[in-house]
């Protein structure tokens, strides 16, 4: 849900100062009250926007969690196990290292003889 009508400077924007008839402050006390009211209104709007942003962040976090769970479920259904994949990769690396050692020894054997 959007917080404003989407129109910048339009007359349908809620809470706009021009929508209300405000008397000009006549003295310092009136000016102080006017500024305090204005600051309270701004604080209320800021809090509303902050709450909306935090709510959206929470919703996105929940959606990411759901997506991660769906991916894990799909991987499980496909028979993919992360631990098995790591073990297979480590075994392949060890086999390649052994092959390199054997090949290196065989290549070096005739030169030593």
């Amino acid at each position: 849900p959007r917080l404003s009508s989407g129109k910048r400077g339009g007359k349908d924007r809620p809470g706009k100062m021009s929508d209300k008839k405000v008397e000009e402050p006549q003295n310092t006390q009136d000016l102080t009250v006017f500024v305090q009211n204005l600051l309270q209104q701004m604080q209320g709007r800021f809090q509303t926007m902050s709450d909306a942003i935090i709510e959206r962040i929470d919703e996105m976090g929940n959606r990411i969690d759901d997506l991660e769970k769906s991916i894990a479920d799909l991987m499980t259904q496909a028979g993919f196990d992360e631990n098995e994949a790591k073990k297979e990769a480590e075994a392949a690396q060890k086999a390649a290292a052994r092959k390199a050692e054997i090949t290196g020894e065989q290549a070096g054997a005739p030169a030593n003889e």
Side-chain angles (χ1 to χ4, degrees):
R2 296 186 68 179
L3 296 177
S4 68
S5 64
K7 295 181 181 179
R8 302 279 181 215
K11 290 185 178 182
D12 61 342
R13 221 168 146 195
K16 189 176 171 191
M17 289 300 297
S18 63
D19 293 342
K20 300 177 183 177
K21 291 186 178 183
V22 177
E23 292 183 23
E24 292 289 324
Q26 299 299 320
N27 57 38
T28 310
Q29 187 177 8
D30 289 345
L31 182 60
T32 302
V33 170
F34 175 78
V35 171
Q36 286 176 343
N37 288 337
L38 186 62
L39 289 173
Q40 286 176 349
Q41 289 174 2
M42 289 173 60
Q43 184 178 6
R45 290 181 186 146
F46 180 77
Q47 187 63 47
T48 300
M49 288 182 2
S50 295
D51 292 345
I53 290 169
I54 290 171
E55 183 180 339
R56 288 181 180 178
I57 290 171
D58 288 343
E59 288 173 5
M60 288 301 293
N62 291 336
R63 291 173 68 185
I64 289 171
D65 290 345
D66 291 345
L67 183 59
E68 287 176 340
K69 186 181 180 308
S70 295
I71 290 171
D73 291 344
L74 288 171
M75 291 171 67
T76 301
Q77 289 175 5
F80 181 81
D81 184 11
E82 190 174 335
N83 292 331
E84 286 182 26
K86 285 181 182 178
K87 288 178 185 177
E88 289 175 9
E90 289 172 1
Q93 287 176 344
K94 287 179 184 178
R98 281 191 219 124
K99 183 177 180 181
E101 287 177 12
I102 293 170
T103 306
E105 289 177 9
Q106 288 177 352
N112 291 335
E113 290 181 12

